[in-house]
Amino acid sequence: MGGKGRDVRISLQTLRVLEAFLEDPTDCLSGSDVQKRSGLTSGTLYPILLRLESAGWFVSRWESVDPSAVGRPRRRLYRLTPGGLSRASAVFASFGRGVLA
């Protein structure tokens, strides 16, 4: 996805998405997990996830389950990259603690 390393516009909604991942930076989250943690609607959330993935902050993959065995569609799982973790941490450090209170 072409824009690796490019700057990402940091909005309040983007901060909420990043905060969801920073709760446990090694965890893989589905879009619905991020939606629950951030309180964002899917129309706001998924463009942010796509933008952050295109910029190299996240990687994603389809979960490896049989949809008929689990009774639901497969989920797309997102994970912070090491560079994304570094950049997300820097963003929050630049704002100081408690910015999302």
Side-chain angles (χ1 to χ4, degrees):
M1 299 208 154
K4 300 272 188 234
R6 81 170 187 227
D7 288 334
V8 173
R9 184 175 61 94
I10 304 297
S11 63
L12 177 59
Q13 293 85 357
T14 302
L15 289 172
R16 287 182 178 168
V17 170
L18 293 173
E19 183 179 44
F21 282 91
L22 291 174
E23 288 178 24
D24 183 356
T26 61
D27 203 9
C28 290
L29 299 176
S30 69
S32 63
D33 293 331
V34 179
Q35 193 171 15
K36 288 174 191 165
R37 291 182 183 188
S38 68
L40 298 174
T41 63
S42 60
T44 299
L45 173 63
Y46 287 98
I48 292 170
L49 289 172
L50 180 61
R51 201 167 33 251
L52 290 170
E53 185 176 12
S54 293
W57 293 46
F58 292 134
V59 291
S60 69
R61 64 177 172 81
W62 287 105
E63 71 179 339
S64 51
V65 298
D66 178 5
S68 60
V70 294
R72 60 167 173 77
R74 290 184 308 159
R75 295 178 181 155
R76 189 119 186 115
L77 301 175
Y78 299 86
R79 182 180 51 80
L80 273 170
T81 63
L85 174 59
S86 174
R87 287 179 273 188
S89 298
V91 165
F92 278 96
S94 73
F95 286 113
R97 293 185 182 230
V99 70
L100 297 178

